[in-house]
Amino acid sequence: MSVTNVLIAGVGGQGTVLTAKVLSRLLIQKGYDIKVSEIHGMSQRGGSVITQVRFGDKVYSPIIAPGTADYILGFELLEAVRALPYLKEGGTIIANEREINPMPVVMGKAEYPKDLKAALDECSARTYVFDGNVQAVTAGNPKCLNMVLLGAWAKQAGFDAEECLKVVEENVPPKFMEVNEKGFLRGYHVF
């Protein structure tokens, strides 16, 4: 099997790191060799967080080269567009349509870019953009957005929901289990 590359892009506090952890544990249980790399840019202040997960029979490097990502999981619209140079021709984008203003926008030194959805639609990818925050709130807690996006990815990648939920159960504190399971299933069935 060739190596599959998943780039997870969001901002600090959205749960991208937990998503990568759960995804990695799922892939290990499925018998894949995996490598993970995380890049935190002022994540505690809402800055960019990028996690790269690579899996296959044998993976030699944790870094995804530009133009080779099979999947981009965008937890925020601008972060999804920023990740586009990594997407391979014919790859898949799963993105939350919500916008989170970066610090230059908050400080009034820049404007949030317009037409980001159009930029995603114009690339040569299978594109799934939806309001993941609404799905998370419907599941019971806006903080389960990460599980909503993981569920949407798992469905598109062909993974079984029950296998995934078992891994979620093993990696999420019991008091948050029910809402995370609901969030995962909302994402799994959103498309």
Side-chain angles (χ1 to χ4, degrees):
M1 173 189 175
S2 62
V3 173
T4 300
N5 297 312
V6 181
L7 190 141
I8 303 168
V11 298
Q14 286 189 297
T16 59
V17 174
L18 177 60
T19 303
K21 176 183 173 183
V22 173
L23 176 57
S24 297
R25 300 263 167 88
L26 170 67
L27 297 169
I28 289 170
Q29 286 186 10
K30 297 290 283 177
Y32 293 109
D33 182 31
I34 69 159
K35 300 288 184 281
V36 178
S37 173
E38 296 173 5
I39 301 167
H40 302 264
M42 293 294 289
S43 60
Q44 291 180 342
R45 296 183 185 224
S48 295
V49 178
I50 296 173
T51 306
Q52 300 178 7
V53 179
R54 303 186 73 221
F55 66 97
D57 290 332
K58 186 64 182 160
V59 179
Y60 294 98
S61 169
I63 305 300
I64 298 173
T68 65
D70 298 281
Y71 298 93
I72 291 176
L73 258 64
F75 280 54
E76 191 272 342
L77 202 52
L78 179 58
E79 296 302 325
V81 171
R82 285 181 179 164
L84 282 178
Y86 287 92
L87 189 66
K88 76 177 190 180
E89 185 83 19
T92 301
I93 300 168
I94 299 167
N96 181 19
E97 69 182 20
R98 286 290 173 104
E99 301 172 359
I100 298 175
N101 290 330
M103 196 52 65
V105 173
V106 172
M107 295 173 60
K109 297 187 182 227
E111 288 187 29
Y112 195 91
K114 307 283 187 246
D115 298 325
L116 293 175
K117 283 186 191 176
L120 292 176
D121 289 337
E122 291 170 6
C123 70
S124 61
R126 290 178 292 155
T127 305
Y128 302 93
V129 180
F130 67 106
D131 193 334
N133 291 75
V134 166
Q135 298 299 324
V137 168
T138 303
N141 189 328
K143 292 184 178 183
C144 75
L145 170 67
N146 57 345
M147 291 300 118
V148 170
L149 287 166
L150 183 61
W153 174 84
K155 176 75 174 266
Q156 296 306 313
F159 284 87
D160 177 71
E162 292 305 315
E163 282 183 300
C164 295
L165 285 171
K166 188 172 183 182
V167 176
V168 170
E169 184 178 309
E170 294 167 355
N171 289 282
V172 173
K175 66 181 180 178
F176 300 117
M177 178 50 47
E178 183 179 347
V179 72
N180 280 288
E181 286 178 340
K182 286 180 181 177
F184 179 89
L185 289 171
R186 300 240 8 133
Y188 196 84
H189 297 293
V190 76
F191 300 113

